[in-house]
Amino acid sequence: MKIRTITTGISLQSLKDIEKIKQAAAFNQQAKAFFEQQGYEVQTTRIATNAWSEYSQGLSTVEIISKIQTLEQIGQNLNISFFNIGYASQPETIAIIPDFNKNTSIIYSSSKIGDRQTGINFENAWESAKAIKRISQETENGYGNFRFCVWANCPPGIPFFPTSYHVGNTSFAVGLELGNLVMQAFTQANNIQLAEKNLQSLLEIELNKIAAIAEKISDKFDIAYGGIDTSLTPSLDKQNSIAVAYEILMNGKFGHQGTLAISGMLTRALKSVSVKICGYSGLMLPVCEDVGLAARANEQTYNITNLLLYSAVCGCGLDTVPIPGDITTEKIAALLIDMATLAIKLDKPLSARLFPIPDKKAGEMTAFNSPYLVDCKIFSVD
């Protein structure tokens, strides 16, 4: 089992608050070394802040963009590869995000379009759709949308990007890559009930080991521990593909009958572990981050409507989904509002990371040049 991320959250008072960033970067390296000494591979360390509008008040748009670029330079000098500046929650701040995206390479951000208390913010959804469309047109192959997502009902402290943001005193959380445990549990089962029992048992053992190490790190470095996001994250390794794991139990392919039941079962298991959990702690189905999911997308065994359906019982919403480059802003907004409706109705965190692909239509292949994404056919949006 691999540790996908150690994410440290900090609250900045201004864009000059560099010392906190340095402290967080140093802590991340110490925590990474601590886990590695216990035999775990740590793939990434990350930093997330409070909403960037809170520490850029009084600045013009041009000044904000310049300061965010400076923030990126500081991060790169500290060997930080993943830096999240939190979310925007006003139409005028959401509108600036494409400028951040175009002028940086390690800065991640998001927009908020609703929560349980206030409902859906339709104006924010519309502005977010415009941002997705603009980012797709201003970055190579639309890849800039890898660093931007739109969310509803997501709490602070999620260790996974781009949704991650922070509130309060400095703390850290852990995100894992659990595909190998799922494969192990499923290959030792011939039905969904036994698969769930096997997975719960494996998770209980392995995640308690991780939690114990994280608590020692918290005590040693006097930094609050937010918990483990137990989400089943994707793999570019076919051996640990989410879709391949499903098909061990199914009489068919991912997307066929039974997919919804397995999605619900996985989420139950991931939420049942007796450790401190945080974030999504559910199943993620990011199309372009899993070779099996991408392969089944190519075969059209599932579509965007299916992904929304699975989100009702599982993880994080619509993630890394390629859509036609000429899609209208209205259709993007409709997808975002559907996602937010599920999040609020079911009181769960959901997000959308959509990839309009410039100059390409449904059924054509993406052409990403990224170590994080696998190419697949573009989804139809009717």
Side-chain angles (χ1 to χ4, degrees):
M1 181 177 60
K2 300 175 183 177
I3 295 173
R4 172 63 69 89
T5 178
I6 300 168
T7 301
T8 299
I10 57 176
S11 293
L12 299 180
Q13 303 301 313
S14 77
L15 285 162
K16 297 179 180 179
D17 199 356
I18 308 305
E19 192 58 36
K20 276 190 178 179
I21 300 172
K22 291 181 178 178
Q23 290 170 354
F27 167 75
N28 278 348
Q29 292 309 306
Q30 292 166 327
K32 179 176 185 286
F34 202 98
F35 271 113
E36 289 174 339
Q37 288 165 8
Q38 308 303 313
Y40 290 94
E41 177 185 340
V42 179
Q43 294 179 324
T44 67
T45 64
R46 312 180 186 190
I47 293 175
T49 73
N50 48 321
W52 57 268
S53 59
E54 296 176 3
Y55 52 84
S56 60
Q57 293 180 358
L59 299 178
S60 68
T61 298
V62 172
E63 289 172 327
I64 293 171
I65 294 167
S66 175
K67 294 292 186 182
I68 296 297
Q69 287 179 299
T70 301
L71 202 60
E72 171 167 271
Q73 291 172 352
I74 292 165
Q76 289 172 325
N77 291 340
L78 294 169
N79 293 317
I80 299 167
S81 298
F82 297 86
F83 196 109
N84 201 315
I85 57 174
Y87 67 92
S89 59
Q90 301 291 331
E92 57 271 23
T93 50
I94 295 171
I96 304 174
I97 289 175
D99 292 305
F100 295 162
N101 202 291
K102 181 172 61 174
N103 290 290
T104 61
S105 60
I106 67 166
I107 298 294
Y108 290 70
S109 61
S110 64
S111 65
K112 175 183 177 179
I113 63 170
D115 57 34
R116 185 81 168 180
Q117 291 70 41
T118 61
I120 298 172
N121 187 315
F122 291 91
E123 193 174 359
N124 281 3
W126 175 256
E127 200 62 52
S128 297
K130 287 169 61 180
I132 290 169
K133 182 80 171 178
R134 188 180 152 201
I135 289 169
S136 76
Q137 295 167 336
E138 295 181 352
T139 58
E140 185 178 359
N141 294 322
Y143 183 68
N145 277 303
F146 184 75
R147 294 186 286 119
F148 173 64
C149 78
V150 182
W151 58 262
N153 217 42
C154 289
I158 294 175
F160 295 111
F161 283 22
T163 318
S164 187
Y165 70 95
H166 185 68
V167 171
N169 295 330
T170 300
S171 66
F172 76 99
V174 177
L176 306 176
E177 190 171 291
L178 298 170
N180 65 320
L181 295 187
V182 175
M183 291 295 289
Q184 183 179 342
F186 284 18
T187 52
Q188 296 173 356
N190 56 11
N191 60 63
I192 192 171
Q193 298 98 322
L194 182 56
E196 182 172 4
K197 183 179 179 182
N198 288 348
L199 183 56
Q200 286 175 331
S201 178
L202 288 170
L203 289 171
E204 196 67 32
I205 294 168
E206 297 300 329
L207 268 62
N208 270 284
K209 292 178 184 177
I210 296 287
I213 296 169
E215 287 164 0
K216 287 180 182 178
I217 291 171
S218 175
D219 291 340
K220 180 178 177 65
F221 298 104
D222 194 26
I223 291 183
Y225 164 55
I228 299 173
D229 189 325
T230 61
S231 294
L232 174 57
T233 52
S235 175
L236 295 181
D237 173 7
K238 185 176 181 180
Q239 185 178 356
N240 293 318
S241 162
I242 296 170
V244 172
Y246 270 71
E247 292 170 9
I248 292 171
L249 293 181
M250 293 175 62
N251 184 24
K253 297 180 178 181
F254 180 92
H256 291 171
Q257 287 75 17
T259 302
L260 183 65
I262 296 173
S263 299
M265 176 272 282
L266 282 167
T267 299
R268 283 196 305 274
L270 293 165
K271 290 186 179 295
S272 71
V273 190
S274 62
V275 298
K276 184 177 184 180
I277 66 174
C278 65
Y280 296 109
S281 288
L283 169 68
M284 294 183 177
L285 297 172
V287 177
C288 289
E289 288 187 306
D290 183 284
V291 290
L293 291 175
R296 296 300 175 245
N298 292 343
E299 297 174 17
Q300 299 181 321
T301 62
Y302 66 99
N303 56 32
I304 286 183
T305 301
N306 296 138
L307 289 173
L308 281 169
L309 173 63
Y310 306 149
S311 294
V313 297
C314 68
C316 71
L318 298 172
D319 198 16
T320 65
V321 179
I323 54 180
D326 63 357
I327 188 171
T328 64
T329 302
E330 288 83 357
K331 284 189 175 181
I332 297 175
L335 285 172
L336 299 179
I337 291 166
D338 279 348
M339 177 274 295
T341 299
L342 277 176
I344 292 167
K345 175 67 176 178
L346 301 176
D347 194 16
K348 64 189 305 179
L350 293 177
S351 57
R353 190 161 39 156
L354 303 174
F355 292 164
I357 308 299
D359 304 318
K360 292 202 173 185
K361 300 183 182 301
E364 295 182 322
M365 291 293 292
T366 61
F368 295 119
N369 181 23
S370 166
Y372 306 117
L373 298 175
V374 60
D375 289 312
C376 77
K377 285 184 179 178
I378 296 166
F379 282 69
S380 174
V381 182
D382 298 323

